[in-house]
Amino acid sequence: MTAKTKPDPRFRFRLLLGSSIAVGPGKADLLAAIAETGSISAAGRLMGMNRPGFAGDRLV
């Protein structure tokens, strides 16, 4: 017999502008990490990103 696990429902959203994703789960996670750490650099390190990975139009 196996142990029963409870379902873990989660809500993820995407904001579309035309056919482009304006804000999706990745950007939302990055913004949450920035709020948590108080630093863009620290948020990037927390998420295992290098600076070019979240610079420029990818964050806009």
Side-chain angles (χ1 to χ4, degrees), residues 23-51:
V23 177
K27 290 179 185 177
D29 291 343
L30 179 58
L31 292 172
I34 293 169
E36 178 183 328
T37 63
S39 163
I40 294 172
S41 296
R45 286 190 299 273
L46 181 68
M47 295 181 68
M49 301 172 76
N50 59 13
R51 201 165 203 41

Side-chain angles (χ1 to χ4, degrees), residues 14-24 27 57 60:
R14 286 192 176 138
L15 176 63
L16 302 175
L17 292 176
S19 61
S20 299
I21 298 173
V23 177
K27 290 179 185 177
D57 64 341
V60 175

